[in-house]
Amino acid sequence: MNAIDKTVSADITLGHLLDSLALAPEAPLVFFYGGQAVKPGYHVTEVKAGQFSALDCGANPEAWSEMFIQLWDIDEEERNHMPAGKFSAIIRKVSDHVRLEATAKLTFEVSDGKQPMSLYCASSPLLEAGAWRVALEARPSSCKPRDRWLVEKPMTESACCGPATGTKCCA
């Protein structure tokens, strides 16, 4: 098994997303996932914010803020992709009722209403040809102790979750 280097994260924060979109609020906001763009009629159907406490597989305590934005990927006649300003207004309206942290990790939940929701992390928005493009990548699972180890140790050493050596990495 090859160790995956997760030291470079594509994750962005809520603050980064909103700050970027504020530069061109009239530009359409198009999310891309699974090699395709969301349909022009997509809806933001739910915004959730949470504080999480957990124990990773190495018995290390973890704590973080995370925000989930649910996208319903549907096509409605005579609709264009939502302007960035409208998306930001939806988030501002949610913030009137739910405490949202600008530094929160973002997770997008996307479904077409037929397939189960899938979880994605977002890359930094790019303004191209007059539209905001946000690439959504599947959010993989990971071994956090191994990830920390990869940051601390040279990449030439074998990772704890590398080829089987007869020992457990996450004891």
Side-chain angles (χ1 to χ4, degrees), residues 65-112:
S65 298
E66 190 164 353
M67 189 170 131
F68 296 83
I69 299 175
Q70 192 174 101
L71 302 178
W72 188 26
D73 187 15
I74 63 165
D75 201 7
E76 289 187 338
E77 289 185 32
E78 300 181 31
R79 293 219 24 200
N80 294 318
H81 285 97
M82 179 184 306
K86 180 176 179 180
F87 178 88
S88 297
I90 292 168
I91 301 302
R92 279 194 306 278
K93 184 167 183 93
V94 170
S95 72
D96 291 343
H97 303 280
V98 176
R99 185 172 160 255
L100 303 179
E101 292 185 27
T103 58
K105 173 181 170 179
L106 280 179
T107 295
F108 285 84
E109 301 172 326
V110 183
S111 175
D112 61 3

Side-chain angles (χ1 to χ4, degrees), residues 135-152:
L136 302 178
E137 297 292 331
R139 183 174 293 291
S141 62
S142 180
C143 171
K144 289 179 183 177
R146 189 236 23 219
D147 294 345
R148 283 189 290 274
W149 184 87
L150 287 171
V151 170
E152 296 167 5

